[in-house]
Each structure stands twice: as C-alpha cells, then as structure tokens.
Amino acid sequence: MILNPNEWPPKYDNEYFPSPRDRYWFKEMETMDPSRRDEIIFKKLKAQIAYAYERAPFYRNKWDEAGIHPNQVKTFEDFRKIPLVYKQEIREDQAKNPPFGSYLCIPREQVFRIHGSSGTTGKPTAFAIGRDDWDRIGNAHARIMWGFGLRPGDSLFIGSFFSLYLGSWGALAGGERLRLTCFPFGAGLPGQTLMALRWIKEIRPTAFYGTPSFALYLAERAREEGFDPLKDFNFKTMFFSGEPGAGIPATKRKIEESYNCKCIDLGTMAEMTPWMTNGECEFRTGMHLWMDIVYTELVDPETKKGVAYGKEGVPVYTHLERTSHPMIRLFSGDLATWTNEPCPCGRTYPRLPKGMYGRADDMFLVRGENVYPSGVEGALREVAGFGEEFRIIITREKTMDELLVQAEYNREVAAKAQANPQILGQLKQEMEDRLKARIGVRANVELVEFGKIERTQFKARRVIDKRDLYK
C-alpha cells in the first residue's frame, strides 16, 4: 500500500500484505485498463524527470544540449524526444566525476548502499543507492515475487554471489520484505556446491534464486553425489536472472523437470534495480513489464524509434521511483519482442513472451557476468608477452558456460621459450589472472604461436559462441 498516492517519490507501508489467497499485491494497479494506468505512470514520469533535471548535471546538460526541458514534456510522445542514455556515457561520466558521476541526485552522505559492475575498461561502474530507494526496491521485488507465487512462510535459498553484484542482494531485499525465511548461501567458493547440496537437503527451502546454469549444474552434481533433486529437495519455485536460460523453453523445461518446480524468468539491468520489473508471473507466459515501477519502451536498434507490439526491439528503461541514481531512457542493448495480448493471470501489463534472447551490441553473458571483447583485449594488452591477436570461444560444458581465450604470444617470448619452456606456463597464468581481475569471470587461456590467428577488422569474428541455448 502506498501511504500517500499523490506523493512523489512514493512511500510504501512496510506492514502491508494482501490476503495469502489473493493473486495480486495491488490488484487495481495491476489489472486496470492500460490507458488509465498510463495516466498514473505519466504523472510519475513527469515528477522523475523534473527531479533529475534539477539535481543531476548529467541530465541537465544532456537535455539542454538536445533542446528539451521537462516543462515541455506534455505527452509520452514528447518524452520520447529525450535523448537515450548509453552505458558508455555512464562510464565516461563517472570517470570524469568520480566516484558516482554527475547523475547522483542525493548528497553523498545519504548513500546507503554501493554496488557496481565492471565496464569495458575493467573499472567498476558504481551504483549509489539511497536508503529510501532501497526500501522501495524491497517493496517492488516483494510485489513481483508475490506475483509469481511466493508467500510469507516460504523459505528462499539464494545461490548466487554476494558481492558488487546486485542480483543476490535484490532477491534478499524482496525476500525479507515478503517475510520469507531467507538463506543467503552465496556461491563461488571452493567446495561450496557440495556444501549447498547438504544444506538444501537439510533445510528443504521452497524457493531458489540464482542463474539457470548453476541450477542445472547443481542438479547434475546432486545426482553424482547420490542425491535425487526430485525427492531430496523441496524447491517449488526457482527464479533466475543474470543470463539467458529461464526464458528459453528447453532450458525452462529441463529445470522444471529436474526439480518439479516452477521456473521463473526475471531481470532488466543492474542499473535499473529494482531489476525484477521484467518478470514472469505464476503462469510463465513471458516477462510482464511492471510499467508503474519502471517505464519500458521497445525501440528499433538502428533507428531508435519505438516499435509496435508484435515487433522486435531493444528495451529502453526509465525509473519512476528513484531519487539516488535515476536512469532516464537507458538503452539496454538486449533484444526482445513484446505483446499486449492478455495473460491468464489477469494483469494488463505488456509482456516479453520470449524473454530477452539476444544482444544488439557485442556484449555477451557468461555465468551471469557481462563480458565485452574490448575488456578481454584490454586485459591481454597489459601483458608484456601478448602478441597481436586473440579469439574468444564460449562453450557450454554440461550445464556451465566456459570461456576460452586463445591468445597469441609474441616472437620474443617464442625465442625465450626455446631455452626455458616454463615461460609459456607463466605467461598463461599471468593472462588468466589479468582476465579474471578485469572481466570478473574465470577464463582458460590457450596460448597460440604468433600469426596463427586470422587477422580481421571485424570485432564480431573474435567471438565464437558455440552454446546452443535452444537445445
């Protein structure tokens, strides 16, 4: 429940809960005629852009240069004249105005949480979140988690990294607001998967959050260790973000068959937290766009103009309730198709029936991390023995993504290696260490003699993705 519907930013009653039998958290908002809801959304949109213009030099300068002022925005069509924001702009602005950029709209001492992600240069992009924003994030996620079937009394196992990565923390914030029994187990430490199997069997949580690949890997390891996920585990709902999978029919089916659960596809971008605002309901007919929390457009990747329902485009996101680090018309780079056809749940939001299934740029996802070819190149070029060319090969071994980087070594290293072959092993280790530090993902480096990798001016040919995600 919103304490004062006419107030912006909204304040939510943290003691509010619907009846456990109710399908909806806010039934009127979620099921109303979209044209009526658009009136509410537009009021929030106007308040959000006026706030950002007043407090963020980043937006004020960008919009002044484009000749657009918040007072001129009278319709959604006017709003679409506001220039798009791209991730590279955010990175550049933070480099010029460290640490949080010139789009931080609250005093630094009011920052409650700091999260981040790696950019192409390897320097993290910082996300500064105020206390009130974090409270709204928890409420938004609780509402969406309610929408796919979780209720107070459920227990949530969070099998994902607790670090700069916002996914795990967002799931925890929603779970705590929903009064779930939260088990923030984490991931990534040596031996942690085997430990997880024992804890899951003992505690028998009813819900799981992580990446789809880890859920499949967990089931595989369980069988190897003598566990039966169908009998020994108790997951009823498993929800995912961070990589393709949960929206891919074959992967969704495999997860549901492995655990006898509902597989829920979620996720926008870390910058757009509350990141669950692209999220499936219990009927799993594609991601609903919870438009009254984050306003979403789909635009043509080339023209950047809006596309009609039924067409493919790139989601563009705008916060409607953010006071700390608001994103206004952030171009996601993902590819999706949207529809306004009815969902059996009765919600009247648009949906992404296929989830998000591709990229409009050269970024790719490996084990939940965004990886750029330019980030790989930057790390390799810091190594003295690196040659001139490299190739990235992504595979899926069983259920886990694997990243292989074939990297040339230069002629000087080749000459020294004739007398001291250990040099190649040392070079390989240095490259792997640099890559892990830069891109945040473990990569296996395969050293290649100088000149053996085909030269090309096309960056895309440096990336070979051998994963068949739709098998």
Side-chain angles (χ1 to χ4, degrees):
M1 177 183 294
I2 301 174
L3 294 176
N4 184 350
N6 297 315
E7 183 180 35
W8 191 94
K11 292 183 179 179
Y12 293 94
D13 178 2
N14 288 330
E15 299 304 315
Y16 165 78
F17 280 91
S19 165
R21 296 183 299 276
D22 289 348
R23 173 173 292 168
Y24 311 104
W25 186 267
F26 293 144
K27 181 177 180 179
E28 183 180 7
M29 179 65 71
E30 294 170 27
T31 63
M32 70 170 53
D33 183 274
S35 61
R36 277 191 57 215
R37 187 170 52 234
D38 280 349
E39 296 175 9
I40 297 170
I41 291 171
F42 192 73
K43 285 180 65 176
K44 296 174 78 171
L45 197 63
K46 286 277 290 179
Q48 180 73 78
I49 62 175
Y51 176 91
Y53 185 87
E54 176 186 350
R55 294 178 176 242
F58 174 84
Y59 289 115
R60 187 163 57 250
N61 296 336
K62 185 177 178 69
W63 298 349
D64 284 350
E65 185 177 335
I68 186 78
H69 187 278
N71 290 342
Q72 298 172 297
V73 177
K74 309 291 186 183
T75 64
F76 283 110
E77 190 62 35
D78 293 336
F79 172 72
R80 286 188 278 272
K81 297 174 184 176
I82 291 177
L84 298 173
V85 171
Y86 298 89
K87 281 190 173 185
Q88 184 61 29
E89 287 182 272
I90 296 170
R91 287 190 286 268
E92 291 172 354
D93 183 65
Q94 289 200 353
K96 294 175 183 176
N97 304 279
F100 300 121
S102 63
Y103 56 99
L104 179 66
C105 293
I106 59 174
R108 185 168 174 177
E109 59 270 19
Q110 292 182 16
V111 173
F112 178 58
R113 298 184 70 101
I114 299 172
H115 291 274
S117 68
S118 295
T120 56
T121 64
K123 182 178 180 181
T125 299
F127 308 141
I129 304 175
R131 184 180 295 272
D132 289 346
D133 278 342
W134 192 251
D135 182 76
R136 282 185 282 271
I137 288 165
N139 273 276
H141 283 182
R143 175 181 164 193
I144 295 161
M145 291 162 75
W146 183 281
F148 59 73
L150 296 188
R151 296 291 184 270
D154 278 314
S155 48
L156 170 61
F157 182 93
I158 302 176
S160 184
F161 295 95
F162 280 92
S163 59
L164 287 172
Y165 178 56
L166 259 165
S168 307
W169 296 104
L172 180 61
E176 289 179 336
R177 170 61 183 89
L178 200 50
R179 306 294 195 268
L180 307 184
T181 300
C182 294
F183 189 1
F185 188 83
L189 297 177
Q192 197 165 12
T193 300
L194 290 177
M195 191 185 304
L197 297 174
R198 301 185 185 103
W199 277 103
I200 291 169
K201 183 177 181 181
E202 181 72 22
I203 303 296
R204 296 182 63 78
T206 57
F208 173 96
Y209 168 74
T211 61
S213 60
F214 181 68
L216 291 171
Y217 176 69
L218 189 70
E220 189 172 277
R221 289 302 306 271
R223 297 183 192 103
E224 291 173 357
E225 296 297 320
F227 297 90
D228 183 348
L230 291 172
K231 296 178 180 178
D232 295 326
F233 301 164
N234 191 42
F235 295 130
K236 306 302 182 187
T237 302
M238 302 182 78
F239 59 104
F240 303 98
S241 70
E243 66 182 22
I248 298 169
T251 303
K252 182 186 286 285
R253 184 170 60 252
K254 188 172 183 179
I255 290 172
E256 293 187 342
E257 290 173 352
S258 294
Y259 293 95
N260 190 27
C261 69
K262 292 185 297 185
C263 172
I264 304 294
D265 189 21
L266 301 164
T268 55
M269 306 165 69
E271 291 87 349
M272 290 312 305
T273 300
W275 54 259
M276 290 188 191
T277 56
N278 289 4
E280 287 189 299
C281 67
E282 61 186 309
F283 288 93
R284 309 187 297 290
T285 60
M287 296 174 170
H288 288 282
L289 304 178
W290 296 69
M291 292 284 223
D292 53 297
I293 306 171
V294 168
Y295 179 65
T296 304
E297 313 162 63
L298 247 67
V299 303
D300 183 276
E302 299 298 328
T303 67
K304 308 301 189 289
K305 301 295 184 182
V307 300
Y309 290 123
K311 301 296 184 181
E312 179 181 86
V314 174
V316 171
Y317 301 117
T318 297
H319 280 123
L320 296 179
E321 302 181 353
R322 179 60 71 87
T323 59
S324 46
H325 243 173
M327 290 287 102
I328 312 294
R329 301 204 76 212
L330 178 62
F331 185 85
S332 68
D334 295 310
L335 287 174
T337 303
W338 67 344
T339 181
N340 61 348
E341 293 180 357
C343 177
C345 74
R347 292 180 180 84
T348 53
Y349 296 118
R351 287 181 293 114
L352 307 180
K354 301 177 184 177
M356 288 183 292
Y357 47 77
R359 292 289 306 174
D361 57 22
D362 62 352
M363 190 183 82
F364 52 92
L365 282 169
V366 174
R367 297 193 293 275
E369 289 289 333
N370 296 338
V371 180
Y372 291 85
S374 54
V376 173
E377 181 175 1
L380 292 175
R381 293 197 185 281
E382 291 177 352
V383 179
F386 175 61
E388 290 297 324
E389 198 51 78
F390 68 98
R391 182 185 292 128
I392 300 167
I393 301 174
I394 315 162
T395 59
R396 176 157 288 175
E397 299 296 329
K398 296 184 179 179
T399 59
M400 295 295 286
D401 291 338
E402 296 295 335
L403 182 63
L404 172 67
V405 177
Q406 295 178 329
E408 292 182 348
Y409 52 89
N410 61 29
R411 292 188 176 94
E412 182 179 354
V413 169
K416 291 180 178 179
Q418 291 181 2
N420 182 11
Q422 292 182 347
I423 286 178
L424 293 179
Q426 294 167 358
L427 179 62
K428 169 183 164 69
Q429 187 63 55
E430 182 180 358
M431 287 180 173
E432 289 178 347
D433 291 345
R434 293 273 188 173
L435 287 166
K436 182 67 169 66
R438 177 64 67 90
I439 64 177
V441 174
R442 177 186 54 78
N444 179 38
V445 170
E446 177 183 325
L447 292 177
V448 180
E449 291 180 13
F450 186 87
K452 293 295 185 180
I453 297 179
E454 179 185 1
R455 267 53 177 168
T456 176
Q457 61 179 331
F458 302 109
K459 182 184 292 187
R461 295 186 64 184
R462 284 179 168 165
V463 180
I464 302 171
D465 192 339
K466 294 184 176 180
R467 296 173 293 185
D468 189 347
L469 298 176
Y470 287 86
K471 272 188 176 179

